[in-house]
Amino acid sequence: MKRKLLTAGLCLALAALLMWIFWIQAAPGAADVDDKRVSITILHTNDIHCRLKADDDTGGGYTLIAAKVKEIRASEENVMLLDAGDAFHGCLEATLSRGKSIVKIMNCLHYDAMVAGNHDFDYGWERLVELSRMTFFPVLSANVRREGGQRILPPHVIRELDGIKVGIFGLTTPATVDQTDPDNVAGLAFGDPLEAAREAVAELRGRCDLLIALVHLSISNDCDGTCLELAQQVKGIDLIISGHDHVALEEGMEINGTCLVQAGELGQCLGMVKFELQSGVITERKAALHHLTGKTSLQADAEMSSLVAAVEKDSEEIMAEVIGWAGLPLDGERSRVRTSQTNLGTLIAEAMQEASGAEAAMLNGGAIRDSIGAGEITMGQVLTVLPFVDRVVVKEITGAALMQALEFGIADYPAENGRFPQVAGIQFSFDPLGEPGQRIEEVSIGGRKLVPEKNYRIALLDFIAGGGDGYKMLKTGRVLKEYPSLESIVADYIKKYCSLPAGAASLCRPPACRKAA
């Protein structure tokens, strides 16, 4: 009898327990894990090109980016920070440390991932791999491999925020082979980014609630895979964070159900995309840009400002390094480089031509900001002469466009103008009393008369190649190659031609100096 009563009691207790569990699950307002709402905030940057500090007009740099990121992290939950490439190259401090100084800054900002951009290869791919091992976050690229098939960087990463799994894969523009020194990418194969994206989506989509393509691809201009093609042809991507074009997409672009964003250049903006998810499904998505320049009321972050100051101090010792000797003064006087060809202008243009293998080279006299006296040449002097961190590009320019550029460059003579051309491989004469736009008398390239219909390979500063100083006629030329920053090219040229051999009785002179002597 007791055994029957005990059994009946257990049955009643079990039934009560089951009813209680059912009531809890069915009760209005009860927590339901499967119905959980989560907010995810994705912050993004691209093409900062090592801009360290705020500038009134061109960008906020890392000091303002850090301030805005901290502000958002303090007000939002589940924040992730990503970079779409061209981070490690572009300023003096970065060049001198071969990217290490920028790794310190990005580590301080606690980035979650970045993709390798074309200019991140400017110190050579082996150095990029070294830098990626110094970062506290992965540097991604799913479509770059060694010729034997081995990857040099991880293709993707998965992060988890409040139970939401976020997959991120990286794509690098195949145009990198034409946009950095060929030696920097020797032995690498840049695969089809669309095919690499399909493989990444197939691997990650089933494992992630949110899938992000972090890409350094042109939106619409590259011949081998663009952001538009990626969004149109590869399904399953929720967000494409892009770099390379230096454009600011205020609210992003919606393409085939995929959101495409980009945040300008040089830290002008911090991009933000906010997702709302319920039961792991995206219910809302909104993209915006926070504009950052020196004119903003936002104060530079103190911690980042201190780090930037330390990075600048570390560069001082390198800037004192003697890299060569000059047998006579190298003339960069403002009044002369803006009205005539000088020996320093010739040296810089010759360095551009030799480094690129172009038929000729041209820069604007306004790019030269100081002279170098006879005697020791330090790295700091080169950086003082060339403070703008210009890059060198080789463009295919018609003879007619080059003639137009030269006419434009001398149009204000004898008045000083920063667009006055300093050249190498180009010989020209002009009538200073002629009508502006019709002053050029003779032009030759490499000793041969210029042919208006012929295409020439001309090395230019990226500033004037993009239409800077009013050189709009140079914008239309096709970019054939891109090279490292001008100051590094000139420094290498000086080291090659301006060294003083042991026991030498007189100072050596580079080709430009020998001609002027």
Side-chain angles (χ1 to χ4, degrees):
M1 182 69 178
K2 289 183 180 180
R3 182 175 296 178
K4 289 182 180 181
L5 289 173
L6 182 60
T7 302
L10 286 174
C11 289
L12 287 172
L14 179 60
L17 178 61
L18 290 173
M19 289 179 66
W20 181 79
I21 292 173
F22 175 79
W23 181 84
I24 287 294
Q25 290 181 335
D32 187 340
V33 175
D34 293 335
D35 198 37
K36 185 177 181 180
R37 296 184 63 86
V38 178
S39 294
I40 303 289
T41 299
I42 307 295
L43 303 179
H44 61 93
T45 57
N46 61 274
D47 298 283
I48 297 180
H49 289 289
C50 311
R51 179 57 59 89
L52 301 180
K53 299 183 287 192
D55 181 276
D56 284 350
D57 299 309
T58 58
Y62 285 113
T63 54
L64 287 188
I65 289 172
K68 195 64 183 180
V69 168
K70 284 188 177 180
E71 179 184 291
I72 294 171
R73 282 175 173 157
S75 62
E76 301 284 346
E77 295 180 338
N78 306 320
V79 177
M80 184 177 289
L81 178 60
L82 306 174
D83 185 84
D86 279 5
F88 295 146
H89 188 277
C91 74
L92 307 179
E93 289 79 8
T95 298
L96 294 175
S97 68
R98 298 180 68 227
K100 185 176 180 179
S101 58
I102 304 304
V103 169
K104 292 180 181 179
I105 286 170
M106 295 184 75
N107 282 343
C108 180
L109 265 165
H110 303 289
Y111 274 87
D112 290 276
M114 71 170 278
V115 64
N118 53 294
H119 285 297
D120 295 314
F121 288 85
D122 279 351
Y123 309 115
W125 70 264
E126 294 95 339
R127 179 57 174 174
L128 174 57
V129 172
E130 289 176 356
L131 293 173
S132 74
R133 291 170 180 159
M134 300 176 196
T135 60
F136 298 161
F137 53 88
V139 180
L140 307 175
S141 187
N143 66 312
V144 179
R145 297 175 183 262
R146 300 187 67 174
E147 290 177 346
Q150 309 96 318
R151 295 189 186 278
I152 65 167
L153 298 168
H156 56 74
V157 66
I158 296 176
R159 300 289 194 204
E160 186 169 335
L161 297 172
D162 200 5
I164 298 297
K165 291 186 177 180
V166 182
I168 308 158
F169 66 91
L171 300 172
T172 302
T173 174
T176 299
V177 296
D178 294 323
Q179 295 174 347
T180 189
D181 189 311
D183 289 341
N184 291 335
V185 291
L188 295 186
F190 288 75
D192 180 356
L194 301 186
E195 183 58 35
R198 292 186 186 97
E199 293 175 1
V201 171
E203 182 171 354
L204 296 174
R205 182 71 270 185
R207 301 162 55 192
C208 302
D209 304 292
L210 183 60
L211 186 55
I212 299 173
L214 187 60
V215 308
H216 200 81
L217 299 174
S218 176
I219 291 176
S220 60
N221 293 327
D222 282 354
C223 58
D224 295 319
T226 67
C227 292
L228 290 178
E229 291 173 331
L230 179 62
Q232 291 165 349
Q233 298 181 29
V234 182
K235 294 183 179 181
I237 301 172
D238 299 306
L239 175 65
I240 299 173
I241 297 175
S242 65
H244 194 45
D245 284 334
H246 297 201
V247 299
L249 300 177
E250 290 293 339
E251 298 179 352
M253 300 170 61
E254 187 78 19
I255 306 165
N256 198 28
T258 297
C259 182
L260 168 64
V261 296
Q262 191 169 143
E265 62 176 343
L266 304 177
Q268 292 172 342
C269 305
L270 175 67
M272 182 170 80
V273 186
K274 193 165 184 178
F275 289 89
E276 297 289 338
L277 297 96
Q278 186 166 3
S279 305
V281 177
I282 298 170
T283 59
E284 187 178 342
R285 176 178 59 198
K286 184 177 181 180
L289 294 179
H290 295 283
H291 290 265
L292 307 173
T293 67
K295 296 177 180 178
T296 182
S297 60
L298 185 68
Q299 296 296 309
D301 179 70
E303 181 185 10
M304 183 58 68
S305 295
S306 177
L307 178 56
V308 165
V311 165
E312 291 174 332
K313 191 175 189 307
D314 288 343
S315 301
E316 291 176 3
E317 184 176 334
I318 301 174
M319 292 175 72
E321 176 192 0
V322 175
I323 62 171
W325 301 76
L328 71 166
L330 301 177
D331 188 2
E333 179 64 33
R334 176 187 175 94
S335 62
R336 286 189 282 276
V337 295
R338 293 169 182 245
T339 57
S340 63
Q341 183 86 15
T342 74
N343 61 347
L344 181 55
T346 299
L347 182 151
I348 295 168
E350 284 182 348
M352 293 167 59
Q353 183 181 7
E354 178 168 303
S356 65
E359 296 171 80
M362 186 173 89
L363 68 150
N364 56 311
I368 301 171
R369 311 301 279 193
D370 206 349
S371 297
I372 296 176
E376 291 183 350
I377 303 174
T378 66
M379 189 66 200
Q381 286 178 296
V382 173
L383 300 178
T384 301
V385 168
L386 303 169
F388 296 117
V389 200
D390 292 300
R391 296 192 304 275
V392 174
V393 301
V394 174
K395 272 194 163 185
E396 188 176 70
I397 304 291
T398 65
L402 184 57
M403 173 78 83
Q404 187 182 358
L406 293 171
E407 285 280 14
F408 177 74
I410 63 166
D412 285 353
Y413 182 88
E416 296 176 18
N417 197 303
R419 66 176 184 249
F420 190 92
Q422 301 288 327
V423 299
I426 300 173
Q427 300 81 37
F428 69 97
S429 61
F430 67 95
D431 178 4
L433 301 178
E435 184 73 19
Q438 300 178 24
R439 290 181 168 182
I440 298 290
E441 295 175 330
E442 293 183 1
V443 182
S444 61
I445 305 291
R448 296 186 178 184
K449 186 175 180 179
L450 179 140
V451 179
E453 298 80 18
K454 182 178 177 181
N455 288 324
Y456 294 92
R457 291 177 293 105
I458 309 296
L460 304 164
L461 296 190
D462 61 343
F463 173 64
I464 61 172
D469 251 354
Y471 277 102
K472 295 180 181 179
M473 71 293 296
L474 298 177
K475 289 181 69 174
T476 57
R478 183 167 64 97
V479 175
L480 301 176
K481 293 282 184 181
E482 293 189 22
Y483 292 85
S485 55
L486 178 61
E487 77 278 356
S488 63
I489 286 174
V490 172
D492 288 344
Y493 189 79
I494 289 172
K495 289 176 183 177
K496 180 176 180 179
Y497 290 109
C498 305
S499 60
L500 182 63
S506 62
L507 298 179
C508 294
R509 295 171 178 169
C513 297
R514 291 198 295 268
K515 293 172 187 173

